[in-house]
């Protein structure tokens, strides 16, 4: 087919440009295991690059809950929740999440990405204004663009700049930020942002993907989104808020209406994770202690979360250090443009409850050696 030839040539051209820019990505087969362990190409590694902050994704209790749900309800949801009807685990999980967030209601989505790209356009549209932190996650930016609202971006955590952009904003004003920023691990000034929104009659919506289950923050936002794929160890996303808003999303959030619901085994494992979070708060404490110990060893500023970025700068050097760490037995992926700005390629190091202090010390030693070389 002639069109197939042009399509292949287009892809080959794009691939060549990506390789020339050093931005070609490949998938590396990796087996993830419990307690921060992984296996790649037959070698055992200690992973310091995933978001399984409480080490629950391979926890036997979550696995048992998923297995029991599969036997009882099957492994697929069949269709959209509005088509097939709502399974009982959806309501149980949403009730638990709303209570955990101290808000009236909740709706669970297929992923955090789907939650943001569905919720934001359901709240505002053409003639309205979105003011958002420059470092908000890509799915918040995507949802903002899909909404058709005017988008104004303020400098990271710069409240004065945010207020300046809010002054003459047309229509309804929606303010977006993360609670814990995924690439830098720092925190948003939630209380001050909430006060700012009160003064300007703006709605504040936060993305708590990297804080949920790990950090306890006073969050004044009436709209709180998060994920179940990180500290909760399962999969999916959610939005909590006032009951009428959540009711409205059920009809207006396209990524809920037109997407197959989460399977029962995933919902059951998320419910099990909430049980563990409530019963074992020390898990979050261990992950935070590991991050603090590592920063002390490396002479870095005290971390605000369990995410520690080590800015390398040059892409090639970040990739080389990552490769050297893998050779030493530590999995730490280099993050580079376009995920982060040019000149800020980094190692994004994440800590989990399953790591031991010996693991953390070993990484610190290997990293110091790699940086010297």
């Amino acid at each position: 087919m002639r069109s197939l030839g042009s399509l292949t040539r287009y892809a080959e051209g794009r691939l060549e440009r990506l390789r020339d820019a050093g931005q070609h990505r490949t998938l590396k087969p990796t087996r993830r295991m419990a307690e921060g362990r992984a296996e790649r190409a037959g070698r055992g590694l200690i992973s310091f690059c995933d978001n399984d902050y409480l080490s629950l994704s391979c926890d036997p209790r979550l696995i048992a809950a998923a297995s029991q749900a599969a036997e009882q309800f099957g492994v697929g949801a069949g269709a959209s929740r509005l088509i097939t009807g709502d399974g009982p685990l959806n309501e149980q999980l949403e009730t638990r999440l709303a209570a955990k967030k101290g808000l009236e209601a909740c709706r669970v989505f297929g992923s955090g990405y789907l939650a943001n790209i569905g919720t934001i356009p359901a709240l505002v549209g053409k003639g309205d204004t979105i003011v958002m932190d420059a470092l908000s996650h890509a799915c918040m930016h995507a949802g903002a663009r899909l909404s058709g609202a005017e988008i104004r971006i303020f400098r990271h955590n710069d409240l004065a700049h945010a207020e300046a952009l809010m002054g003459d904003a047309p229509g309804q004003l929606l303010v977006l930020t993360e609670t814990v920023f995924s690439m830098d691990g720092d925190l948003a000034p939630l209380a001050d942002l909430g006060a700012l929104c009160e003064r300007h009659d703006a709605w504040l919506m936060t993305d708590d993907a990297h804080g949920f289950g790990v950090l306890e923050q006073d969050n004044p936002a009436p709209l709180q989104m998060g994920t179940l794929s990180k500290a909760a160890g399962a999969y999916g996303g959610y939005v909590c808020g006032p009951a009428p808003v959540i009711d409205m999303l059920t009809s207006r959030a396209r990524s809920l209406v037109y997407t197959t619901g989460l399977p029962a085994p995933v919902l059951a494992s998320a419910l099990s994770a909430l049980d563990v979070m409530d019963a074992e708060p020390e898990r979050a404490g261990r992950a935070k202690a590991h991050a603090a110990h590592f920063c002390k060893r490396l002479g870095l500023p005290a971390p605000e979360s369990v995410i520690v970025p080590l800015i390398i700068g040059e892409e090639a050097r970040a990739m080389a250090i990552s490769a050297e760490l893998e050779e030493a037995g530590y999995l730490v992926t280099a993050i580079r443009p376009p995920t982060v700005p040019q000149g800020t390629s980094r190692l994004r190091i994440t800590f989990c409850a399953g790591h031991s202090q010996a693991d953390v010390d070993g990484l610190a030693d290997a990293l110091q050696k790699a940086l010297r070389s």
Side-chain angles (χ1 to χ4, degrees), residues 126-148:
K126 189 175 181 180
D128 296 322
T129 307
I130 292 173
V131 172
M132 61 190 304
D133 191 290
L135 297 189
S136 296
H137 192 271
C139 59
M140 274 194 151
H141 284 272
R145 289 194 296 272
L146 285 171
S147 74

Side-chain angles (χ1 to χ4, degrees), residues 237-309:
Y238 64 84
V239 176
C240 295
V245 175
I246 301 305
D247 191 11
M248 182 267 293
L249 291 180
T250 308
S251 297
R252 297 296 300 164
R254 295 173 67 85
S255 57
L256 176 79
V257 174
Y258 298 106
T259 302
T260 300
L262 284 171
V266 173
L267 297 168
S269 59
L271 280 162
S272 180
L274 295 183
D275 291 338
V276 177
M277 287 180 189
D278 291 343
E280 301 176 14
E282 66 273 12
R283 283 179 170 265
R286 286 202 301 273
K288 289 183 281 191
H290 290 327
H293 178 69
F294 175 81
C295 289
K296 188 175 181 180
R297 280 286 316 270
L298 271 290
L300 299 172
E304 297 182 47
S305 67
V306 296
I307 302 168
V308 176

Side-chain angles (χ1 to χ4, degrees), residues 177-190:
T177 188
E178 296 190 41
T179 59
V180 178
F181 289 90
S182 60
M183 288 296 112
D184 292 306
D186 58 336
L187 310 184
L190 296 178

Side-chain angles (χ1 to χ4, degrees), residues 140-372:
M140 274 194 151
H141 284 272
R145 289 194 296 272
L146 285 171
S147 74
E150 180 182 335
I151 301 171
R152 301 180 178 186
I153 298 174
F154 62 91
R155 292 183 292 272
H156 178 51
N157 279 349
D158 187 332
L159 291 168
H161 190 210
E163 184 159 31
L165 296 177
M166 295 167 73
D168 62 346
Q172 178 57 52
L173 182 54
L174 176 66
V175 177
L176 304 177
T177 188
E178 296 190 41
T179 59
V180 178
F181 289 90
S182 60
M183 288 296 112
D184 292 306
D186 58 336
L187 310 184
L190 296 178
D192 291 336
L193 272 174
L196 190 60
C197 288
E198 282 291 325
R199 291 200 298 273
H200 290 268
D201 192 26
W203 302 335
L204 177 60
M205 177 176 169
T206 58
D207 182 332
D208 194 34
H210 297 275
F212 179 65
V214 182
L215 301 179
E216 293 294 334
Q217 296 173 274
D218 290 330
N219 189 344
L223 298 160
Q224 299 184 26
M225 170 268 165
T227 66
L228 302 167
S229 55
K230 298 173 178 64
Y235 195 70
Y238 64 84
V239 176
C240 295
V245 175
I246 301 305
D247 191 11
M248 182 267 293
L249 291 180
T250 308
S251 297
R252 297 296 300 164
R254 295 173 67 85
S255 57
L256 176 79
V257 174
Y258 298 106
T259 302
T260 300
L262 284 171
V266 173
L267 297 168
S269 59
L271 280 162
S272 180
L274 295 183
D275 291 338
V276 177
M277 287 180 189
D278 291 343
E280 301 176 14
E282 66 273 12
R283 283 179 170 265
R286 286 202 301 273
K288 289 183 281 191
H290 290 327
H293 178 69
F294 175 81
C295 289
K296 188 175 181 180
R297 280 286 316 270
L298 271 290
L300 299 172
E304 297 182 47
S305 67
V306 296
I307 302 168
V308 176
L310 188 63
I311 309 298
I312 303 299
E314 182 183 309
E315 289 182 52
R317 184 164 184 250
M319 296 290 287
I321 294 173
S322 174
E324 188 168 338
L325 288 174
E326 185 172 338
E327 186 62 29
Y330 301 94
L331 191 56
V332 183
T333 304
I335 307 294
R336 52 207 171 103
T339 305
V340 293
Q342 288 288 344
T344 69
S345 291
R346 68 196 63 193
L347 302 178
R348 178 185 180 270
I349 305 167
T350 55
F351 298 87
C352 70
H355 291 140
S356 67
Q357 185 163 313
D359 296 336
V360 178
D361 284 328
L363 173 65
D365 292 339
L367 184 53
Q368 287 172 327
K369 180 181 177 182
L371 289 170
R372 286 195 300 268

Side-chain angles (χ1 to χ4, degrees), residues 2-63:
R2 185 175 178 181
S3 59
L4 180 60
S6 64
L7 175 62
T8 301
R9 288 192 298 275
Y10 168 78
E12 289 171 343
R14 291 297 298 268
L15 285 168
E16 184 177 358
R17 290 193 291 275
L18 285 169
R19 292 189 186 99
D20 289 344
Q23 294 178 358
H24 181 238
R25 268 74 168 168
T26 58
L27 298 174
K28 298 180 180 181
T30 305
R31 180 189 173 196
R32 294 186 63 259
M33 297 177 285
E35 308 304 322
R37 267 51 187 174
E39 186 179 277
R40 180 178 288 179
R43 293 185 63 236
L45 300 167
I46 303 173
S47 177
F48 282 93
C49 64
D50 65 35
N51 301 322
D52 188 13
Y53 303 129
L54 301 186
S55 298
L56 292 180
S57 66
C58 295
D59 188 284
R61 292 166 291 187
L62 273 68
I63 294 170

